[in-house]
Amino acid sequence: MDISTPMRSDVKEDTPDLLAELRPARDALYDWKSSCETWSIEFSPDGSWFAWSQGHGIIKLIPWPLEEEDLRPPSCTAKSQCHKGPEVKRKGSLKEKILDCGQIVWSLAFGCTSAPAGWKLWPLSRQDAKSSETWLLLATGLSDGHVKVWEVHTGRLLFNLSGHQDVVRDLSFTKNGSLTLVTASRDKTLRIWDLKKDGKLVQVLSGHVQWVYCCSISQDCSMLCSAAGENVVLLWSMRSYTLIRKLVGHQNSVVSCDFSPDSALLVTASYDTTLILWDPYTGEKLRQFLHVPLAPDVDYSSVEPQLSALRSVCFSPEGMHLASLADDRFLRVWSLELQEPMTAAPVTNGLCCTFFPQGGILATGNRDGHVQFWTSPRILPSLRHLCRMKLRRFLTTYQVLALPIPGKIKDFLIYRTNY
């Protein structure tokens, strides 16, 4: 496919602008196949760091924002910042760091918590202790089944968690600062770890019969979603670690999932080329988005369906948009209110995508180890949507349905309509 082919005319907005591109500083001699992919990228919750799995077992931790000269299309810059060496001074006291994991890195996740007084695991200097209000960790899932957890500001290895028997395909931290970590593996299990108790294994969740591709914890820390190759999505309780329900609707492996910022919605992406939006409390399928071809000059009748298979999906910070990557070499941005993508951009061999926590920027990683940063829609949420999100952070779907309010308002609050 020619990725320079223009977007389809019914895509609603302008193509996202490419802000910057980072490339691994690696000699061609060492670029062996199947180990150079960027399988995972993540922004820290406060937006101060960007973690990049650039292949070859290497993680680069980059202070955000990038320097001004990097926020231009790659053709405008003589060198990408990633060629400046393993540790480069950035704004303030933050420095780039290189973490050598020793194995192919398949997944990344940031976790943060306040620093308890006298916590013996992570001693800081007095100066650092005064300036740092939170501890920021980075968990890395590796091809040998291990999970290495690093302290971001020092680059120090804190834990090397073992137990999985195959690739750790995805990771997710609770958002409440408890430092509970969920790991999903090709060994068909999920494991729950308590990092505040020296990385203690809390629970092993078994229920999938195929590789587990992805996991996601809801923002309110009440639910865990996991998905695997058997076409079903499992929802677990994060309080009792028991299975709540199965979500059935996809026709092929489900490879990516994400909860909305108010925990009221769950989106899943599958090799069957569809995104499905679910109500995780009831299991109701609210909407389905189909990845139809965007390049009009390409004859898709001879293209195998898996060539448009989805790879990644994520919610925007304000909960009004979705971003998805597919094997048809396009990044799409969707509105929850529309069946067609709002905008799209050509991304060659994209594997993962994520939004900047404060919005306005999308990052994508691809098979060549590159990372690209794109503009994303900046839309001021309506007062109705802000009120809905505020309410849904505290009310389940069943609690909304029990409210003595008009039916149309209930439908809006549970995302059945865009009233």
Side-chain angles (χ1 to χ4, degrees):
M1 181 189 297
D2 180 3
I3 64 170
S4 64
T5 304
M7 301 298 103
R8 218 173 57 182
S9 60
D10 57 355
V11 174
K12 306 298 186 297
E13 302 288 340
D14 293 335
T15 302
D17 293 327
L18 181 61
L19 297 175
E21 182 173 12
L22 307 182
R23 303 182 181 186
R26 192 62 119 151
D27 292 338
L29 177 65
Y30 298 105
D31 285 341
W32 60 92
K33 225 173 181 181
S34 79
S35 63
C36 65
E37 300 95 341
T38 294
W39 286 108
S40 187
I41 49 177
E42 286 289 331
F43 288 101
S44 64
D46 63 358
S48 62
W49 291 91
F50 178 75
W52 168 25
S53 167
Q54 58 177 253
H56 311 289
I58 300 297
I59 301 291
K60 175 154 278 192
L61 279 168
I62 305 172
W64 192 269
L66 302 179
E67 296 290 358
E68 184 176 351
E69 64 266 21
D70 296 313
L71 290 174
R72 303 172 185 169
S75 59
C76 298
T77 58
K79 279 190 177 181
S80 170
Q81 78 168 61
C82 58
H83 294 278
K84 295 180 182 177
E87 193 168 74
V88 180
K89 287 188 177 181
R90 309 291 291 183
K91 295 177 181 178
S93 60
L94 301 182
K95 299 178 181 179
E96 289 185 1
K97 293 176 178 63
I98 291 290
L99 308 179
D100 189 348
C101 295
Q103 296 284 332
I104 297 174
V105 180
W106 285 82
S107 48
L108 300 171
F110 279 101
C112 61
T113 186
S114 57
W119 201 356
K120 63 181 180 180
L121 284 178
W122 307 325
L124 283 176
S125 68
R126 291 190 178 186
Q127 181 178 358
D128 288 336
K130 291 178 181 178
S131 62
S132 178
E133 297 180 357
T134 60
W135 292 95
L136 188 60
L137 309 183
L138 179 69
T140 56
L142 308 180
S143 58
D144 64 356
H146 284 241
V147 177
K148 291 186 177 181
V149 183
W150 312 78
E151 204 280 307
V152 171
H153 290 282
T154 64
R156 185 160 62 96
L157 179 64
L158 300 176
F159 301 105
N160 188 359
L161 308 176
S162 61
H164 282 300
Q165 304 302 308
D166 208 332
V167 171
V168 178
R169 192 62 187 86
D170 202 7
L171 305 160
S172 185
F173 272 102
T174 51
K175 312 300 190 295
N176 59 5
S178 67
L179 288 188
T180 299
L181 174 66
V182 176
T183 57
S185 172
R186 285 184 180 176
D187 66 10
K188 306 174 188 176
T189 69
L190 298 108
R191 290 176 178 251
I192 317 292
W193 313 84
D194 188 343
L195 300 190
K196 284 191 175 181
K197 294 183 178 178
D198 297 331
K200 176 185 176 182
L201 177 63
V202 176
Q203 191 80 24
V204 177
L205 303 182
S206 301
H208 290 288
V209 297
Q210 298 290 337
W211 290 354
V212 185
Y213 283 103
C214 59
C215 64
S216 180
I217 301 173
S218 61
Q219 296 288 326
D220 63 6
C221 304
S222 67
M223 291 177 286
L224 165 67
C225 171
S226 63
E230 66 264 25
N231 311 348
V232 299
V233 178
L234 301 187
L235 283 176
W236 310 81
S237 168
M238 282 296 291
R239 297 184 177 94
S240 63
Y241 300 124
T242 56
L243 182 64
I244 300 173
R245 66 176 52 86
K246 294 183 179 181
L247 304 179
V248 180
H250 285 293
Q251 305 302 312
N252 208 326
S253 299
V254 183
V255 294
S256 185
C257 58
D258 194 24
F259 282 96
S260 62
D262 59 4
S263 304
L265 298 172
L266 171 70
V267 64
T268 55
S270 169
Y271 285 160
D272 65 12
T273 75
T274 63
L275 300 171
I276 296 181
L277 202 62
W278 310 85
D279 184 323
Y281 294 102
T282 65
E284 179 184 357
K285 183 161 70 170
L286 298 173
R287 293 179 188 82
Q288 179 169 303
F289 303 94
L290 179 63
H291 268 229
V292 297
L294 289 179
D297 297 334
V298 176
D299 179 12
Y300 282 88
S301 62
S302 60
V303 175
E304 295 294 329
Q306 58 266 30
L307 295 184
S308 294
L310 279 149
R311 289 287 173 178
S312 182
V313 66
C314 58
F315 265 100
S316 64
E318 82 290 335
M320 296 176 64
H321 300 102
L322 301 169
S324 64
L325 270 179
D327 283 348
D328 66 355
R329 300 185 180 185
F330 281 101
L331 166 70
R332 293 168 173 82
V333 178
W334 308 78
S335 167
L336 299 188
E337 302 178 358
L338 304 172
Q339 288 297 315
E340 298 291 333
M342 292 175 55
T343 183
V347 176
T348 304
N349 297 327
L351 292 175
C352 54
C353 60
T354 188
F355 280 94
F356 179 60
Q358 280 73 53
I361 295 175
L362 256 170
T364 59
N366 67 23
R367 289 188 179 276
D368 300 322
H370 297 183
V371 174
Q372 293 175 316
F373 298 96
W374 307 83
T375 56
S376 68
R378 279 191 176 274
I379 297 178
L380 185 66
S382 66
L383 182 58
R384 292 181 306 174
H385 178 68
L386 292 174
C387 291
R388 173 169 60 183
M389 287 191 64
K390 194 71 173 179
L391 286 170
R392 291 311 309 271
R393 285 190 173 100
F394 302 100
L395 298 177
T396 68
T397 299
Y398 295 112
Q399 290 171 324
V400 170
L401 292 174
L403 293 174
I405 56 177
K408 285 187 177 181
I409 297 179
K410 290 182 182 181
D411 286 343
F412 174 74
L413 290 177
I414 61 176
Y415 290 89
R416 282 182 182 165
T417 69
N418 295 306
Y419 165 75

